[in-house]
Amino acid sequence: MDKRIAKMRRAKSPRPSKSAHSDFVIGEDTSRGYPLVSLEPRETDEKSGLHLLYFHGGGYVMDIAALHWEAIAKLCSLAGASASIPIYPLAPEVTVQTTLPAMRALYDELAQKYGAGNIAIAGDSAGGGMALALAQDLAKDGETLPNSLTLFSPWVDASASGEGMAAIDPYDKILSPQGLEACGRRYAGGLDLEDTRLSPLFGSLDDLPHTSIFVGTRDILLVDARRLRERMEAAGSPPALYREADRMQHVWMILPIPEGAAALEEAASFMRDVHKKGAAQ
């Protein structure tokens, strides 16, 4: 794992494609100690007033990928949203004790700029776990929550100990319980793997924003998604939208396939509808 991480660190961090530049004004700010990329729609009549804060996946140890940029641009186009995408510091060099407070500070900054009611938080895999942990942190402190929360194949238990993973493991060509645990330990920085900052499944699920969850049945994180749904239902705040796609793999929503495109359309519609309802109240 450490050798793989060292090799990845030598690779250039990808950025939005040339085609994205034709639809968005794209900026990058490094003043916070990490790159923050912004997307602003060029066509003013397409703007909905929604602002997307997106956390990329990669087990907390891998950089953002080209696929992420394509999916984020598509989400923004469909929802008429601008976006902020933090290229957050990676583990094991930087751990959750530093990263999560930095993302909280970023949210506070964006909430002041755009209004919390105009912010939709989304993330895939580890980014989904980070998104949920951030929402829990805000709820704990009684802060104004974002308008919605969208989780693609969320990794919400860093210990990768959910019952049922072993049965799915032979069909999952991307993840393994051992690999997840190894990444979780590097992000934990010595914390217990069930600490809610990295395993928000075990945190409070009360008073969360309107939440959508997307997952596939050939993804070991199906176990996490199902447990999250069950715990949210037990807390009296079930997901507003839950999609479980048969025979789909990990983060299929951001893949350039018809099913992925349909998932992004549904996610964007969810974000936009929740935002409209919030604005009307």
Side-chain angles (χ1 to χ4, degrees), residues 55-233:
F55 297 115
H56 71 83
Y60 302 113
V61 303
M62 288 181 274
D63 200 358
I64 194 166
L67 282 172
H68 288 116
W69 290 119
E70 297 300 320
I72 292 166
K74 185 69 172 175
L75 272 176
C76 288
S77 293
L78 290 166
S82 55
S84 294
I85 305 94
I87 314 300
Y88 55 82
L90 299 173
E93 296 92 331
V94 181
T95 60
V96 64
Q97 295 97 320
T98 298
T99 302
L100 191 58
M103 297 304 101
R104 167 66 184 272
L106 173 61
Y107 171 82
D108 291 343
E109 180 185 335
L110 296 174
Q112 200 163 35
K113 181 177 180 179
Y114 297 99
N118 295 318
I119 294 178
I121 297 182
D124 65 278
S125 195
M130 185 180 290
L132 179 56
L134 173 58
Q136 289 175 335
D137 191 54
L138 293 167
K140 172 177 64 69
D141 292 344
E143 296 294 332
T144 307
L145 297 173
N147 191 262
S148 65
L149 191 64
T150 296
L151 311 177
F152 295 145
S153 296
W155 181 28
V156 293
D157 174 8
S159 69
S161 59
E163 185 177 349
M165 280 191 173
I168 304 171
D169 192 32
Y171 304 99
D172 190 327
K173 306 305 179 185
I174 299 175
L175 303 178
S176 71
Q178 297 83 359
L180 286 177
E181 184 183 357
C183 290
R185 291 196 181 282
R186 283 157 176 79
Y187 183 55
L191 294 178
D192 186 279
L193 289 182
E194 292 192 0
D195 188 292
T196 57
R197 287 169 285 183
L198 41 130
S199 293
L201 177 68
F202 306 117
S204 173
L205 298 172
D206 298 324
D207 303 318
L208 291 177
H210 295 284
T211 302
S212 64
I213 302 171
F214 294 76
V215 71
T217 61
R218 290 187 174 177
D219 178 354
I220 58 173
L221 293 184
L222 172 67
V223 173
D224 278 22
R226 286 178 173 175
R227 287 190 294 163
L228 178 58
R229 178 183 61 174
E230 290 168 3
R231 288 174 183 247
M232 289 180 69
E233 289 172 346

Side-chain angles (χ1 to χ4, degrees), residues 23-38:
D23 296 326
F24 299 93
V25 176
I26 300 176
E28 183 165 340
D29 183 357
T30 58
S31 64
R32 297 166 186 80
Y34 58 86
L36 177 68
V37 178
S38 60

